[in-house]
Amino acid sequence: MIENGQLLNYVNGAWKRSRASEFLDVRNPATAETMVRVPLSPSDEVDEAVQAAQSAFPDWRSTPPVQRIQYLFKLKKLLDDHFDEIARLTVDECGKTMDESRGELQRGIENVEVATGIPMLMQGYNSEDIARGIDEHMFRQPVGVVAAITPFNFPGMIPLWYLPYAIACGNCFILKPSEKVPMTMSRVFDLIDELGLPPGVVSLVNGSKGAVDALLDHPAVRAISFVGSSPVARYVYSRAAANGKRAQCAGGAKNPVVVLPDADMEMATRIIADSSFGCAGQRCLATSVTITVGEAGREFRDRITRVAEARKVGYGIEPEVEMGPVITPESKQRVESLIGKGVNEGAKVLVDGRNASISGYERGNFVRPTVLDNVNPRSEIAGIEIFGPVLSLMHAQTIDEAIEFVNATSYGNMACLFTTSGAAARKFRYEVQAGNIGINIGVAAPMAFFPFSGWKESFFGDMHAQGRDAIEFYTEKKVVVERWPREWSRKF
Ligand code: NAD
């Protein structure tokens, strides 16, 4: 909710004005217009949310799961009813196109749908007669107060990787959304407010590092979910672990795609262009490197150059626009300077997206699609996450050499292969060190009923977001061993 141009926090079942002394402007990245101010909430406001969650927990955990999920059915209906309105907020604060914003919200809603299966998903298991007259049971119980800290690039989807599972499992949940894109979740929480959940079951506290640290240090917060850049993911994971919390922290990426000479080149180019330039390259599953093998090189280079040059860039509310701006002026500057670094390191610019000016939106943070050729796999640009619409091309002689390049990266979020050979596909799937693999797919984003499985510097923790991992993360296992000797029943 917004009051006098300022976003409110949602704590203990009510919207509250923050007592913050610091605020940030939330700007539309296409127009530079300031839309609202977001408070950087102080730690005592985090504490209020945690206390409300603690008070709500005993009753919420004993509310039967079949009743808890009734709120999720209502939430799904409200999200569907307000679908385009929420997607439009994502366009305005995040810079995506309308279709991209709809797409991410849809993927978020799918997590609400999957979490309605919690009565079955959180069942335990048991064994009779582990010894004579002794039985053993495993029950799952909620963890308690849990929190999620989310990034700017999926304001609608990523909070929904967590919230539905957390509360369906009987936990009380606090969200700290990205201060760059706080409006989408503010609107979603308006809808959550209509659900009639008991106060304290869900809260939203706006802020940045101060609010994050308050969550990490609060003794009553039992589990932390984080998505963002790798240095912050590592920091959050370490501090949460040092404070005895369960943590799942997803980090950055540098996703390679390999194109073999037998690939369907038209399809590969179209899909890789969408993966590299969609969401202005600001997806953690964006393709940032394409490694062509053998004679795939020349054809792919020619095709991707044409496609990159033709991409329509602008404000995402316009239906013909295929790519919006990057998130901030600092981000634009960073992406452009990394393109320059690539050139200094010997790459050849096939398509140069720097110094873009979009008619009518001259103050927007636009970088056009950029293609760098002959990027040296050992250069700095080959390893850095650029997080903009920049595709680097590398060339390998064999699939083995390509897989070597793929595995040399410190990240392991996604790797994809384009081929018509099943044997090559199996080799790739088997040997590549990344957690999400695509075969003839450009954005191998797992559905809500599978884990989002980053490896290496792309993930710190054990249990990933979504799917069965979400139930593992949001429940404690309790094992009960019972002895009921047969002779005691003779009394009856
Ligand atoms: P970010 O790390 O700057 O911020 C993420 C969150 O951490 C925000 O809520 C922010 O307020 C908080 N934060 C930032 N600096 C902090 C600090 N020093 N201490 C404590 N908290 C801090 O990330 P971003 O720029 O919002 O998002 C882009 C990054 O997220 C990219 O690296 C992208 O690859 C990654 N990402 C990863 C996944 C994944 O699933 N692996 C998904 C989406 C985005």
mmCIF file of all heavy atoms in Angstrom, residues 111 114 118 121-122 140 165 169 248 447-452 463-475 477:
data_model
loop_
_atom_site.group_PDB
_atom_site.id
_atom_site.type_symbol
_atom_site.label_atom_id
_atom_site.label_comp_id
_atom_site.label_asym_id
_atom_site.label_seq_id
_atom_site.Cartn_x
_atom_site.Cartn_y
_atom_site.Cartn_z
ATOM 1 N N ASN A 111 3.580 -21.690 -8.141
ATOM 2 C CA ASN A 111 4.041 -22.119 -6.817
ATOM 3 C C ASN A 111 2.909 -22.098 -5.796
ATOM 4 O O ASN A 111 2.872 -22.934 -4.889
ATOM 5 C CB ASN A 111 5.197 -21.241 -6.334
ATOM 6 C CG ASN A 111 6.499 -21.616 -7.009
ATOM 7 O OD1 ASN A 111 7.157 -22.566 -6.594
ATOM 8 N ND2 ASN A 111 6.863 -20.909 -8.057
ATOM 9 N N VAL A 114 1.093 -25.353 -6.504
ATOM 10 C CA VAL A 114 1.777 -26.566 -6.013
ATOM 11 C C VAL A 114 1.675 -26.652 -4.483
ATOM 12 O O VAL A 114 1.459 -27.728 -3.923
ATOM 13 C CB VAL A 114 3.244 -26.596 -6.486
ATOM 14 C CG1 VAL A 114 4.021 -27.720 -5.811
ATOM 15 C CG2 VAL A 114 3.297 -26.782 -7.999
ATOM 16 N N ILE A 118 0.179 -29.305 -0.032
ATOM 17 C CA ILE A 118 0.950 -29.528 1.206
ATOM 18 C C ILE A 118 0.360 -30.617 2.114
ATOM 19 O O ILE A 118 1.127 -31.378 2.702
ATOM 20 C CB ILE A 118 1.101 -28.190 1.991
ATOM 21 C CG1 ILE A 118 2.093 -27.266 1.275
ATOM 22 C CG2 ILE A 118 1.513 -28.423 3.444
ATOM 23 C CD1 ILE A 118 3.545 -27.659 1.259
ATOM 24 N N LEU A 121 2.032 -33.354 0.616
ATOM 25 C CA LEU A 121 3.477 -33.186 0.439
ATOM 26 C C LEU A 121 4.231 -33.206 1.768
ATOM 27 O O LEU A 121 5.392 -33.604 1.819
ATOM 28 C CB LEU A 121 3.766 -31.857 -0.281
ATOM 29 C CG LEU A 121 3.335 -31.781 -1.749
ATOM 30 C CD1 LEU A 121 3.432 -30.344 -2.257
ATOM 31 C CD2 LEU A 121 4.202 -32.699 -2.600
ATOM 32 N N MET A 122 3.569 -32.740 2.854
ATOM 33 C CA MET A 122 4.325 -32.694 4.110
ATOM 34 C C MET A 122 4.047 -33.900 5.009
ATOM 35 O O MET A 122 4.395 -33.896 6.198
ATOM 36 C CB MET A 122 4.138 -31.360 4.848
ATOM 37 C CG MET A 122 2.859 -31.154 5.573
ATOM 38 S SD MET A 122 2.826 -29.552 6.481
ATOM 39 C CE MET A 122 3.935 -29.830 7.855
ATOM 40 N N ARG A 140 6.597 -34.369 10.133
ATOM 41 C CA ARG A 140 7.161 -33.076 9.733
ATOM 42 C C ARG A 140 6.436 -31.967 10.493
ATOM 43 O O ARG A 140 5.201 -31.939 10.510
ATOM 44 C CB ARG A 140 6.974 -32.846 8.236
ATOM 45 C CG ARG A 140 7.850 -33.720 7.396
ATOM 46 C CD ARG A 140 7.717 -33.337 5.933
ATOM 47 N NE ARG A 140 8.501 -34.219 5.109
ATOM 48 C CZ ARG A 140 9.814 -34.080 4.898
ATOM 49 N NH1 ARG A 140 10.475 -33.080 5.433
ATOM 50 N NH2 ARG A 140 10.455 -34.928 4.132
ATOM 51 N N TYR A 165 4.758 -22.010 0.171
ATOM 52 C CA TYR A 165 5.206 -23.237 0.847
ATOM 53 C C TYR A 165 5.400 -22.981 2.339
ATOM 54 O O TYR A 165 5.077 -23.814 3.170
ATOM 55 C CB TYR A 165 6.529 -23.732 0.255
ATOM 56 C CG TYR A 165 6.466 -23.994 -1.232
ATOM 57 C CD1 TYR A 165 6.974 -23.076 -2.140
ATOM 58 C CD2 TYR A 165 5.881 -25.166 -1.727
ATOM 59 C CE1 TYR A 165 6.918 -23.317 -3.505
ATOM 60 C CE2 TYR A 165 5.824 -25.408 -3.088
ATOM 61 C CZ TYR A 165 6.341 -24.482 -3.976
ATOM 62 O OH TYR A 165 6.284 -24.707 -5.326
ATOM 63 N N CYS A 169 3.123 -24.922 5.106
ATOM 64 C CA CYS A 169 3.772 -25.870 6.019
ATOM 65 C C CYS A 169 3.576 -25.462 7.487
ATOM 66 O O CYS A 169 4.044 -26.168 8.379
ATOM 67 C CB CYS A 169 5.266 -25.989 5.727
ATOM 68 S SG CYS A 169 5.650 -26.915 4.220
ATOM 69 N N GLN A 248 19.124 -20.988 2.594
ATOM 70 C CA GLN A 248 19.205 -21.361 1.173
ATOM 71 C C GLN A 248 19.436 -20.055 0.413
ATOM 72 O O GLN A 248 18.602 -19.169 0.442
ATOM 73 C CB GLN A 248 17.932 -22.084 0.698
ATOM 74 C CG GLN A 248 16.652 -21.410 1.080
ATOM 75 C CD GLN A 248 15.381 -22.040 0.511
ATOM 76 O OE1 GLN A 248 14.338 -21.401 0.524
ATOM 77 N NE2 GLN A 248 15.430 -23.254 0.040
ATOM 78 N N MET A 447 10.004 -25.992 -13.396
ATOM 79 C CA MET A 447 8.621 -25.746 -12.994
ATOM 80 C C MET A 447 8.534 -25.778 -11.469
ATOM 81 O O MET A 447 9.444 -26.266 -10.790
ATOM 82 C CB MET A 447 7.699 -26.836 -13.571
ATOM 83 C CG MET A 447 7.605 -26.827 -15.084
ATOM 84 S SD MET A 447 6.815 -25.342 -15.736
ATOM 85 C CE MET A 447 5.089 -25.651 -15.359
ATOM 86 N N ALA A 448 7.416 -25.294 -10.932
ATOM 87 C CA ALA A 448 7.290 -25.150 -9.479
ATOM 88 C C ALA A 448 7.438 -26.482 -8.743
ATOM 89 O O ALA A 448 7.814 -26.501 -7.571
ATOM 90 C CB ALA A 448 5.941 -24.518 -9.145
ATOM 91 N N PHE A 449 7.168 -27.593 -9.436
ATOM 92 C CA PHE A 449 7.266 -28.888 -8.742
ATOM 93 C C PHE A 449 8.635 -29.539 -8.912
ATOM 94 O O PHE A 449 8.828 -30.715 -8.609
ATOM 95 C CB PHE A 449 6.131 -29.835 -9.173
ATOM 96 C CG PHE A 449 5.705 -29.678 -10.606
ATOM 97 C CD1 PHE A 449 6.267 -30.455 -11.606
ATOM 98 C CD2 PHE A 449 4.750 -28.729 -10.953
ATOM 99 C CE1 PHE A 449 5.877 -30.297 -12.921
ATOM 100 C CE2 PHE A 449 4.371 -28.557 -12.279
ATOM 101 C CZ PHE A 449 4.927 -29.337 -13.257
ATOM 102 N N PHE A 450 9.627 -28.755 -9.378
ATOM 103 C CA PHE A 450 11.026 -29.199 -9.413
ATOM 104 C C PHE A 450 11.868 -28.152 -8.674
ATOM 105 O O PHE A 450 11.512 -26.979 -8.638
ATOM 106 C CB PHE A 450 11.540 -29.285 -10.852
ATOM 107 C CG PHE A 450 11.056 -30.507 -11.597
ATOM 108 C CD1 PHE A 450 9.868 -30.471 -12.319
ATOM 109 C CD2 PHE A 450 11.791 -31.679 -11.561
ATOM 110 C CE1 PHE A 450 9.416 -31.591 -13.002
ATOM 111 C CE2 PHE A 450 11.346 -32.800 -12.247
ATOM 112 C CZ PHE A 450 10.163 -32.769 -12.964
ATOM 113 N N PRO A 451 13.028 -28.572 -8.130
ATOM 114 C CA PRO A 451 13.873 -27.586 -7.435
ATOM 115 C C PRO A 451 14.627 -26.691 -8.405
ATOM 116 O O PRO A 451 15.053 -27.143 -9.479
ATOM 117 C CB PRO A 451 14.855 -28.471 -6.655
ATOM 118 C CG PRO A 451 14.914 -29.757 -7.425
ATOM 119 C CD PRO A 451 13.561 -29.944 -8.063
ATOM 120 N N PHE A 452 14.816 -25.437 -8.029
ATOM 121 C CA PHE A 452 15.623 -24.497 -8.818
ATOM 122 C C PHE A 452 17.075 -24.698 -8.373
ATOM 123 O O PHE A 452 17.513 -24.179 -7.357
ATOM 124 C CB PHE A 452 15.158 -23.064 -8.548
ATOM 125 C CG PHE A 452 15.641 -22.114 -9.590
ATOM 126 C CD1 PHE A 452 14.784 -21.673 -10.583
ATOM 127 C CD2 PHE A 452 16.950 -21.681 -9.602
ATOM 128 C CE1 PHE A 452 15.234 -20.802 -11.566
ATOM 129 C CE2 PHE A 452 17.407 -20.821 -10.575
ATOM 130 C CZ PHE A 452 16.548 -20.378 -11.560
ATOM 131 N N MET A 463 19.191 -27.187 0.408
ATOM 132 C CA MET A 463 17.845 -27.370 -0.134
ATOM 133 C C MET A 463 17.473 -26.157 -0.975
ATOM 134 O O MET A 463 17.562 -25.025 -0.506
ATOM 135 C CB MET A 463 16.864 -27.570 1.002
ATOM 136 C CG MET A 463 17.092 -28.883 1.721
ATOM 137 S SD MET A 463 16.220 -28.920 3.271
ATOM 138 C CE MET A 463 17.449 -28.337 4.420
ATOM 139 N N HIS A 464 17.075 -26.414 -2.200
ATOM 140 C CA HIS A 464 16.785 -25.329 -3.134
ATOM 141 C C HIS A 464 15.359 -24.818 -2.964
ATOM 142 O O HIS A 464 14.576 -25.362 -2.191
ATOM 143 C CB HIS A 464 17.006 -25.828 -4.560
ATOM 144 C CG HIS A 464 18.434 -26.141 -4.860
ATOM 145 N ND1 HIS A 464 18.999 -27.361 -4.598
ATOM 146 C CD2 HIS A 464 19.432 -25.381 -5.375
ATOM 147 C CE1 HIS A 464 20.270 -27.352 -4.950
ATOM 148 N NE2 HIS A 464 20.558 -26.157 -5.425
ATOM 149 N N ALA A 465 15.043 -23.798 -3.764
ATOM 150 C CA ALA A 465 13.674 -23.265 -3.767
ATOM 151 C C ALA A 465 12.775 -24.210 -4.555
ATOM 152 O O ALA A 465 13.234 -24.949 -5.417
ATOM 153 C CB ALA A 465 13.667 -21.889 -4.420
ATOM 154 N N GLN A 466 11.498 -24.163 -4.262
ATOM 155 C CA GLN A 466 10.434 -24.871 -4.996
ATOM 156 C C GLN A 466 10.441 -26.396 -4.738
ATOM 157 O O GLN A 466 11.367 -26.961 -4.199
ATOM 158 C CB GLN A 466 10.548 -24.680 -6.505
ATOM 159 C CG GLN A 466 10.523 -23.271 -7.023
ATOM 160 C CD GLN A 466 10.301 -23.208 -8.531
ATOM 161 O OE1 GLN A 466 9.605 -22.340 -8.982
ATOM 162 N NE2 GLN A 466 10.862 -24.111 -9.313
ATOM 163 N N GLY A 467 9.379 -27.006 -5.219
ATOM 164 C CA GLY A 467 9.277 -28.468 -5.256
ATOM 165 C C GLY A 467 9.423 -29.121 -3.886
ATOM 166 O O GLY A 467 9.121 -28.530 -2.851
ATOM 167 N N ARG A 468 9.912 -30.358 -3.899
ATOM 168 C CA ARG A 468 10.046 -31.105 -2.636
ATOM 169 C C ARG A 468 11.079 -30.486 -1.720
ATOM 170 O O ARG A 468 10.977 -30.605 -0.503
ATOM 171 C CB ARG A 468 10.434 -32.552 -2.937
ATOM 172 C CG ARG A 468 9.312 -33.304 -3.589
ATOM 173 C CD ARG A 468 9.702 -34.714 -3.942
ATOM 174 N NE ARG A 468 8.832 -35.169 -5.003
ATOM 175 C CZ ARG A 468 9.013 -36.266 -5.697
ATOM 176 N NH1 ARG A 468 10.035 -37.043 -5.458
ATOM 177 N NH2 ARG A 468 8.157 -36.605 -6.632
ATOM 178 N N ASP A 469 12.107 -29.821 -2.316
ATOM 179 C CA ASP A 469 13.103 -29.151 -1.466
ATOM 180 C C ASP A 469 12.435 -28.108 -0.574
ATOM 181 O O ASP A 469 12.871 -27.872 0.549
ATOM 182 C CB ASP A 469 14.168 -28.441 -2.330
ATOM 183 C CG ASP A 469 15.269 -29.391 -2.777
ATOM 184 O OD1 ASP A 469 15.001 -30.607 -2.870
ATOM 185 O OD2 ASP A 469 16.394 -28.929 -3.047
ATOM 186 N N ALA A 470 11.393 -27.455 -1.088
ATOM 187 C CA ALA A 470 10.724 -26.410 -0.296
ATOM 188 C C ALA A 470 10.117 -27.037 0.962
ATOM 189 O O ALA A 470 10.175 -26.438 2.044
ATOM 190 C CB ALA A 470 9.643 -25.717 -1.129
ATOM 191 N N ILE A 471 9.582 -28.219 0.816
ATOM 192 C CA ILE A 471 8.963 -28.875 1.990
ATOM 193 C C ILE A 471 10.065 -29.286 2.974
ATOM 194 O O ILE A 471 9.928 -29.129 4.183
ATOM 195 C CB ILE A 471 8.085 -30.077 1.558
ATOM 196 C CG1 ILE A 471 6.783 -29.573 0.956
ATOM 197 C CG2 ILE A 471 7.707 -30.944 2.748
ATOM 198 C CD1 ILE A 471 6.800 -29.131 -0.415
ATOM 199 N N GLU A 472 11.195 -29.778 2.436
ATOM 200 C CA GLU A 472 12.335 -30.113 3.315
ATOM 201 C C GLU A 472 12.782 -28.869 4.071
ATOM 202 O O GLU A 472 13.071 -28.918 5.258
ATOM 203 C CB GLU A 472 13.521 -30.628 2.486
ATOM 204 C CG GLU A 472 13.355 -32.019 1.929
ATOM 205 C CD GLU A 472 13.348 -33.091 3.005
ATOM 206 O OE1 GLU A 472 13.975 -32.899 4.056
ATOM 207 O OE2 GLU A 472 12.679 -34.116 2.785
ATOM 208 N N PHE A 473 12.881 -27.753 3.340
ATOM 209 C CA PHE A 473 13.415 -26.532 3.938
ATOM 210 C C PHE A 473 12.491 -25.990 5.026
ATOM 211 O O PHE A 473 12.954 -25.499 6.052
ATOM 212 C CB PHE A 473 13.641 -25.471 2.856
ATOM 213 C CG PHE A 473 14.374 -24.258 3.359
ATOM 214 C CD1 PHE A 473 15.744 -24.304 3.574
ATOM 215 C CD2 PHE A 473 13.697 -23.079 3.635
ATOM 216 C CE1 PHE A 473 16.433 -23.192 4.055
ATOM 217 C CE2 PHE A 473 14.379 -21.962 4.119
ATOM 218 C CZ PHE A 473 15.747 -22.016 4.331
ATOM 219 N N TYR A 474 11.208 -26.063 4.771
ATOM 220 C CA TYR A 474 10.253 -25.416 5.682
ATOM 221 C C TYR A 474 9.710 -26.343 6.756
ATOM 222 O O TYR A 474 8.768 -25.965 7.461
ATOM 223 C CB TYR A 474 9.106 -24.793 4.889
ATOM 224 C CG TYR A 474 9.529 -23.516 4.187
ATOM 225 C CD1 TYR A 474 9.331 -23.334 2.833
ATOM 226 C CD2 TYR A 474 10.132 -22.486 4.904
ATOM 227 C CE1 TYR A 474 9.718 -22.160 2.193
ATOM 228 C CE2 TYR A 474 10.533 -21.318 4.275
ATOM 229 C CZ TYR A 474 10.322 -21.157 2.923
ATOM 230 O OH TYR A 474 10.716 -20.001 2.315
ATOM 231 N N THR A 475 10.283 -27.554 6.881
ATOM 232 C CA THR A 475 9.832 -28.442 7.959
ATOM 233 C C THR A 475 11.030 -29.016 8.710
ATOM 234 O O THR A 475 12.089 -29.241 8.132
ATOM 235 C CB THR A 475 8.984 -29.618 7.415
ATOM 236 O OG1 THR A 475 9.731 -30.321 6.419
ATOM 237 C CG2 THR A 475 7.675 -29.149 6.831
ATOM 238 N N LYS A 477 12.164 -32.384 10.800
ATOM 239 C CA LYS A 477 11.743 -33.787 10.891
ATOM 240 C C LYS A 477 11.828 -34.215 12.359
ATOM 241 O O LYS A 477 12.819 -33.935 13.023
ATOM 242 C CB LYS A 477 12.631 -34.660 10.016
ATOM 243 C CG LYS A 477 12.406 -34.404 8.540
ATOM 244 C CD LYS A 477 13.119 -35.384 7.662
ATOM 245 C CE LYS A 477 14.518 -34.945 7.329
ATOM 246 N NZ LYS A 477 14.645 -33.761 6.496
#
